[in-house]
Amino acid sequence: MSSDSIKSILQEHRTFEASAAFKQRAHIGSQDQLQAMHAHAEQDPIGFWEEQARELSWGSKWDTPMQWNYPTVEWFVGGTLNASVNCLDVHVATEKRNKAALVWESEEGDVRTWTYQQLLADVNRFANVLLDQGIKKGDVVGIYMGMIPEAVMAMLACARIGATHNVVFGAFSAEALRERMDNSGAVCLITQDGARRRGSVQRLKAVADEALAHLPNIHTVLVAKNVGNDIVMSRGRDHWLHELMAAAPMKHDVQLFDSEHPLFILYTSGSTGKPKGILHTTGGYMTQVKYTSKYVFDLRDDDLYFCTADIGWITGHSYIVYGLLANGASVLMYEGAPNYPEKDRFWDIIERHQATVFYTAPTAIRAFMSWGEAWPRKHDLSSLRLLGTVGEPINPEAWMWYYDVIGRNKCPIVDTWWQTETGSIMIAPMPGVTTMKPGTATQPLPGIMADVVNKDGSPCKPNEGGYLVVKHPWPSMLRTVFGDEKRYRDTYWSHFEPCDKHDGYYFTGDGARKDSDGCFWIMGRVDDVVNVSGHRLGTAEIESALVSHAEVSEAAVVARPDEIKGNALVAFVIVNANVPTARKAELPALLREHVAAEIGPIAKPDEIRITDALPKTRSGKIMRRLLREIAGGGEVTGDTTTLEDHNVLENLR
Ligand code: WT7
């Protein structure tokens, strides 16, 4: 093992297969079929992606399928298309015209449905409003909204006129919004009066006003009416969206754009540093989100797909809006909190709407676990046929709970590995055929050349931990960091530059190992790797061992400098709500032994701190960077604009 490699200590041997009934109806129902796709993609990767691209509606066809000039890529060069046409018009032209595109439930329980035809009409009106306000192709439009249908319409309306959207999560602060608008040069902002969250109202327009005071280049603000709370309108700049839409025509002569036309900028959650504006373009992105949605979620015409992610991050972009609508699917969208009015809201929604596919994050699953299984057990979840997770490694305990308590032992789970930067899913099971193992995203999809390598780029041996890389450009790859090409090169392309051994690899920032079946086990971000007595350990495995203890619901592990050992391991642990105070005093010692027993004494934390909350990004990622500083006794420095709750830091100190 080379000294740079990351040592793996997690052992998990349970395996699961899709049922015969699931296999029989799946798009990919046999190993032969999957192997044939892999073979095609390996022999002719570009031809393989062209085949997927032909699933979209194009104006003129591309003349060059891919142009690669390390590290700059273009896909389907010379082709023209419109992303919103591919989400709407193509279905309105078929028998899907009157099928539900969007089923929306407010936190108060109101349900509204848009058919494809109705959604197209509203997107057309919205596009006409934008044009009327002087927004044109190439302009950047900010979207600062909650989970309401107008957010989906806003994205599609921007795409329709060739404006580049920049969605900022609706609960970010005024400063975070200002920075992202300023950095991207936005000229228009779409927001709403207020959003409902856990029974209270988040005053989005009021927060936006604080940011707008410092954004002189934003000449137009469109406000969707959702809650009806009082807001201040700035004359000339601010307009009620519903008023303008009511007056706008529902027909719109749509233009097609170059395949490489910028579709959106999305700032990454920034768990490791200052947010980066990830730029995605049109043809390649649409190709891969359509392909992955169809196969990974095994979409069928009668599905009702429910994704709990927010529209403010990439999962919402790719797997609420573009990928699902491009396939003509019915998408269920919920405005509010999972625990409002009670902790069974998601299960209640699934039962009432008869949702068939459910996609959520491990952090949410661990919260459901800590609330107790009585909540989901109260509901008939038999409509579900497929479950998915994304966002971080799912610890095997949480996987098993999800499989049993939510999936009732009959739904395959697709553990999907990808990033804001990759745009679409890269590593995931094909649910009809891939053998599932709790805790691994399994294998790269056909067309994706991912691998685990040593620092010198040579492939790691089975079960040897190393760096997760992608060896060939893929269509939905980020094109740059907006306004910072150097950061694009430094972050993703400087670790494995072209050399005599290889042509240069994309570096994901993640540590991983491949087992002897070729399954990828993600071990966490390499920036978070802890060095213990000369062994480099990924945080994910130690955290997984901690949460496998019955009384623990969340854990984060970091290293702090130690005079004797070089590094000491510090674990921040949240225990279940029902653990009595007296018991909390006993737990640290017990948990240290538990980790030693689960994965070995080497990973035994030196210190365990029981805490009430962990610093997380809004998308649920633990900000270990901040915990490292706290564990080391230092001040928290660096960017904290993506932090969900600043009180957490105070309490930890
Ligand atoms: C990072 C990307 C992709 C949408 C949401 C997060 C981690 C993501 C998995 C998974 C293990 C995962 C990685 C990755 N991650 N999915 N299934 N198993 N780790 O997007 O905020 O850009 O974060 O999330 O560390 O690099 P993001």
Side-chain angles (χ1 to χ4, degrees), residues 269 314-315 390-393 415-421 508 510 522 525 621:
S269 52
I314 192 71
T315 308
V390 60
E392 54 178 317
D415 174 351
T416 60
W417 180 90
W418 57 296
Q419 309 177 298
T420 305
E421 293 87 341
T508 63
D510 283 354
I522 310 297
R525 307 288 299 169
K621 283 193 166 44

Side-chain angles (χ1 to χ4, degrees), residues 508-555:
T508 63
D510 283 354
R513 72 178 161 96
K514 241 179 3 175
D515 69 16
S516 47
D517 298 327
C519 287
F520 286 65
W521 297 77
I522 310 297
M523 295 157 71
R525 307 288 299 169
V526 289
D527 294 331
D528 293 334
V529 160
V530 291
N531 193 323
V532 187
S533 318
H535 297 284
R536 287 160 49 78
L537 305 178
T539 51
E541 297 182 341
I542 310 171
E543 290 161 4
S544 176
L546 283 162
V547 294
S548 74
H549 190 277
E551 287 161 288
V552 173
S553 62
E554 285 269 17

